Amino acid sequence: MLKQLYIKNYALIDELDIQFHKGFTVITGETGAGKSIILGAISLLLGQRANNVSIRNKDKKCIIEAHFNISQYHIEQFFNDNDLDYDAEETILRREIGINGKSRAFINDVPVSVTLIRELGDRLIDIHSQHQNLLLNKQDFQLGVVDIIGNDKDLLTEYQQKYKALKDAEEELISLESEIAANKENEEFLRFQFNKLSDANLQPDEQELLEQESETMSHTEEIKSALYETSSAMNGDDTGALELIRTSLQKIESITSVYPAINSLSSRLESCYIELKDIVEEIDSNLENVEFNPLRLEEINNRLDLIYTLQKQFHVATNEELINIKDGIEQQLSHIDYGEEEISRQKEKVKQVKDDCLSLAAQLTAARKEAAKKIETAMTDHLVPLGMPNVRFKVLLQTKDLSANGVDVVSFMFSANKNEELHPVSQTASGGEIARVMLSLKAMISGAVNLPTIIFDEIDTGVSGRVAEQMAQIMAEMGEHERQVISITHLPQIAAKGTFHYKVVKEETSKGTTSQMFKLNQRERVQEIAQMLSGSDVSLAALDNAKALLKIE
């Protein structure tokens, strides 16, 4: 429910801060007073494209902010999914437009994208303007109404998941058939490539090991010389480092009994001796193992030449990539060898999923047929009191191929007169009749689901008198049971039905022309409705008529 609306520096509005209430609210005002401006500000808040054209003072930013109670909407998951703070009693949407036309959007003071604030806004406010009547031209809208009344959301979701699985399976089949056909054309070349890579028997880390071994063998003499000289320096008979350390250790150990302070140094020196001795043994072992083998070097170089050649042919740089190519070709050849079996299995999968879709679609159709009967009855019940005593309204269900929403095509068929054939409502109904049809649809839907705040923008166009009173009664009933309906109207019959009444006025001030909006008390309501009845010169008869409409003694 919309609790508060704040607008600053937008069009003719300098600053406006207004409180709203649950139930049925009406907004009136002379043409050009600014009713459409307020609606435009709300649309901007809900994600409409922004620019600086509507900024009143070009030196200041424009701010539009709305506070909502969303405790009845069950949309906490939306906030969790988008990492937003959830406050059921006080959810705030804000839009700011800078002097350069750039805008920023906020939900509960957290910066968000315009797309996200639009997504949330669609769940909070339903603005029904005259252009929304064009929805009656769209079969998706009509089908959506049927699904709402049919309460088949879970069934539709299950169907749509299965339908997606069907599309995925069909795409996989097409891809498989295309791949196998292409592979068959290249089968000879693929087998040639596979045999070449398979015969090479490549190992993942083979190249690096061979290159290192080749490098070592190419420097055999240099390596042996360095190892030999190191061994000699460490293990010479009299002057080798190992012998000198051993002699030093003996000298130290000879005085440990008379000079205990040297014990720790003796242990450390002994450890050094042991470590150096181990190093010398490893050096000597490496010296024996390093050997130049021309046959082995030739074998290594031949193997590396094969690897380099294959890498160049397949345009890769590592053995791992060559192995991956071989595995991929092997899979392609497997598709060729067992392709018909794979296609057959995939076709069977497509058939099974399609059968599931058809079964669920049939259940959807059954639910929609039941909903269609309810809609036909409800729409007749609503439209007859709205000045259409001979109205006929039928929900025509026709069949189409499987699609994302089932196999049903919905058309709302309408006739307002006796002996007149039924035609699609968008083709045969007048503007006033379409407005009444849309109001009746919204009233019916509001009884089935928790609609958000509904704003009707002059839905009363083309009607008057008794029909207007009935439309007002429908909107008033829609505003019951914790719901909120706001109607921007120019008809006194509708204005009188509001639980709350606001008036938009245009004033000339020192800052220029401004629009303001005020909540009217009972006396002011009488005056306003009387003026709507008689014009600027309010007569006593108009005042009495206004009181009668308001049921005031």
Side-chain angles (χ1 to χ4, degrees):
M1 183 186 78
L2 177 63
K3 296 165 50 181
Q4 179 183 356
L5 177 65
Y6 176 78
I7 305 173
K8 183 176 182 179
N9 196 34
Y10 178 77
L12 295 180
I13 298 174
D14 185 37
E15 188 171 27
L16 174 66
D17 192 355
I18 197 79
Q19 306 291 322
F20 287 95
H21 311 274
K22 65 183 178 182
F24 182 36
T25 295
V26 295
I27 300 174
T28 61
E30 295 180 1
T31 301
K35 300 188 297 297
S36 61
I37 293 174
I38 292 171
L39 197 60
I42 294 174
S43 299
L44 191 62
L45 174 70
L46 301 182
Q48 188 181 73
R49 186 176 180 181
N51 54 52
N52 65 351
V53 174
S54 296
I55 296 179
R56 179 176 175 81
N57 185 338
K58 303 299 183 183
D59 296 327
K60 297 179 181 179
K61 67 181 177 181
C62 166
I63 300 174
I64 304 166
E65 181 176 290
H67 296 237
F68 294 87
N69 181 322
I70 60 173
S71 56
Q72 302 296 317
Y73 295 165
H74 310 295
I75 55 175
E76 184 175 359
Q77 191 60 45
F78 172 88
F79 289 79
N80 294 335
D81 292 343
N82 293 286
D83 198 23
L84 296 168
D85 294 333
Y86 176 73
D87 187 339
E89 302 292 331
E90 189 71 13
T91 290
I92 304 172
L93 275 62
R94 187 169 76 255
R95 191 95 182 268
E96 298 179 357
I97 298 91
I99 57 177
N100 56 1
K102 293 184 178 179
S103 73
R104 297 196 299 165
F106 302 85
I107 298 175
N108 290 336
D109 290 326
V110 176
V112 297
S113 67
V114 173
T115 300
L116 193 63
I117 202 172
R118 183 186 299 120
E119 182 180 346
L120 178 57
D122 287 343
R123 301 188 185 195
L124 301 182
I125 295 182
D126 175 14
I127 298 178
H128 185 98
S129 57
Q130 292 183 36
H131 79 272
Q132 199 182 40
N133 291 337
L134 296 175
L135 288 174
L136 281 176
N137 294 326
K138 298 183 178 180
Q139 291 179 337
D140 287 348
F141 169 76
Q142 299 177 16
L143 180 60
V145 171
V146 173
D147 284 333
I148 288 173
I149 301 304
N151 193 26
D152 58 17
K153 181 179 178 182
D154 293 340
L155 179 59
L156 179 59
T157 298
E158 184 182 0
Y159 168 82
Q160 288 174 334
Q161 291 171 345
K162 188 63 69 174
Y163 181 76
K164 182 180 184 304
L166 173 62
K167 293 291 104 178
D168 291 343
E170 289 176 340
E171 288 180 9
E172 187 175 343
L173 175 60
I174 292 171
S175 176
L176 184 62
E177 290 174 332
S178 176
E179 180 183 350
I180 290 173
N183 289 343
K184 282 184 176 180
E185 292 181 2
N186 298 320
E187 181 178 2
E188 184 177 345
F189 180 61
L190 287 172
R191 293 196 184 281
F192 169 75
Q193 287 184 313
F194 176 76
N195 291 335
K196 180 180 289 189
L197 291 170
S198 183
D199 292 344
N201 192 26
L202 301 168
Q203 304 302 315
D205 57 353
E206 179 183 13
Q207 180 180 347
E208 292 77 6
L209 294 174
L210 289 175
E211 288 173 341
Q212 182 59 58
E213 188 176 355
S214 174
E215 184 73 9
T216 298
M217 198 168 290
S218 299
H219 296 80
T220 301
E221 293 303 320
E222 180 182 343
I223 294 169
K224 289 179 70 72
S225 176
L227 291 173
Y228 177 78
E229 290 177 7
T230 302
S231 177
S232 297
M234 296 290 291
N235 202 24
D237 291 338
D238 297 321
T239 59
L242 200 57
E243 180 61 25
L244 292 174
I245 291 175
R246 189 182 69 79
T247 301
S248 300
L249 179 60
Q250 290 175 344
K251 296 294 184 180
I252 292 295
E253 287 178 339
S254 68
I255 62 172
T256 54
S257 60
V258 295
Y259 187 44
I262 205 72
N263 278 340
S264 62
L265 289 177
S266 174
S267 297
R268 291 167 63 187
L269 193 58
E270 183 178 10
S271 296
C272 289
Y273 176 75
I274 294 171
E275 177 67 15
L276 285 174
K277 187 177 180 182
D278 185 59
I279 290 172
V280 169
E281 289 176 356
E282 286 196 32
I283 289 174
D284 289 342
S285 175
N286 277 281
L287 185 58
E288 291 178 6
N289 292 333
V290 174
E291 180 181 355
F292 178 74
N293 185 337
L295 293 178
R296 175 57 182 164
L297 182 59
E298 183 180 4
E299 180 184 327
I300 291 170
N301 288 335
N302 288 338
R303 183 65 176 170
L304 286 174
D305 285 343
L306 172 62
I307 291 172
Y308 296 150
T309 299
L310 290 173
Q311 289 175 351
K312 185 176 181 180
Q313 288 177 350
F314 288 92
H315 307 288
V316 296
T318 65
N319 269 17
E320 287 83 352
E321 291 172 293
L322 287 173
I323 293 171
N324 289 337
I325 290 173
K326 187 199 77 167
D327 293 342
I329 295 174
E330 186 174 18
Q331 186 175 10
Q332 290 175 289
L333 292 173
S334 176
H335 283 332
I336 294 173
D337 295 336
Y338 304 100
E340 295 305 320
E341 294 178 19
E342 291 183 32
I343 289 175
S344 178
R345 284 195 297 270
Q346 190 61 28
K347 284 182 176 179
E348 181 60 28
K349 180 180 179 181
V350 169
K351 181 182 180 302
Q352 290 176 355
V353 179
K354 186 173 184 178
D355 287 344
D356 292 341
C357 276
L358 289 170
S359 175
L360 290 169
Q363 296 176 51
L364 270 176
T365 298
R368 287 165 175 169
K369 286 180 178 179
E370 288 299 315
K373 296 175 184 177
K374 295 178 182 178
I375 293 171
E376 290 168 358
T377 300
M379 288 298 290
T380 301
D381 291 344
H382 277 107
L383 290 171
V384 168
L386 292 177
M388 300 185 192
N390 300 311
V391 69
R392 284 182 296 150
F393 191 95
K394 181 175 179 58
V395 180
L396 179 64
L397 282 176
Q398 296 174 298
T399 302
K400 63 178 180 179
D401 293 335
L402 282 170
S403 69
N405 51 26
V407 295
D408 304 305
V409 178
V410 173
S411 298
F412 288 167
M413 309 298 287
F414 174 84
S415 172
N417 304 307
K418 286 183 178 180
N419 304 320
E420 184 180 90
E421 291 186 6
L422 289 165
H423 294 284
V425 63
S426 60
Q427 296 178 14
T428 187
S430 66
E433 289 169 343
I434 285 179
R436 281 173 273 178
V437 168
M438 285 300 292
L439 176 61
S440 299
L441 285 173
K442 289 287 176 74
M444 180 181 60
I445 292 170
S446 71
V449 296
N450 280 330
L451 279 181
T453 295
I454 306 174
I455 300 177
F456 289 108
D457 180 22
E458 298 189 355
I459 195 171
D460 48 35
T461 299
V463 300
S464 60
R466 179 64 180 166
V467 173
E469 290 182 18
Q470 289 297 323
M471 292 182 74
Q473 183 61 37
I474 289 174
M475 286 187 277
E477 291 172 358
M478 289 174 65
E480 296 173 354
H481 308 297
E482 300 298 319
R483 291 190 287 260
Q484 183 183 47
V485 175
I486 299 171
S487 177
I488 298 174
T489 182
H490 64 276
L491 293 181
Q493 293 90 344
I494 291 179
K497 283 287 185 180
T499 306
F500 306 94
H501 189 160
Y502 295 85
K503 182 177 181 179
V504 179
V505 298
K506 187 164 61 175
E507 299 176 339
E508 296 296 333
T509 69
S510 58
K511 295 181 180 180
T513 304
T514 64
S515 287
Q516 284 291 337
M517 181 171 165
F518 304 98
K519 183 180 177 183
L520 302 182
N521 58 32
Q522 189 178 82
R523 182 185 59 80
E524 291 167 335
R525 288 192 73 181
V526 172
Q527 186 69 24
E528 172 67 5
I529 292 175
Q531 189 170 337
M532 294 172 73
L533 287 165
S534 65
S536 56
D537 294 329
V538 177
S539 64
L540 289 174
L543 289 170
D544 290 339
N545 197 358
K547 291 177 182 179
L549 286 174
L550 290 166
K551 294 181 171 54
I552 297 174
E553 297 295 336

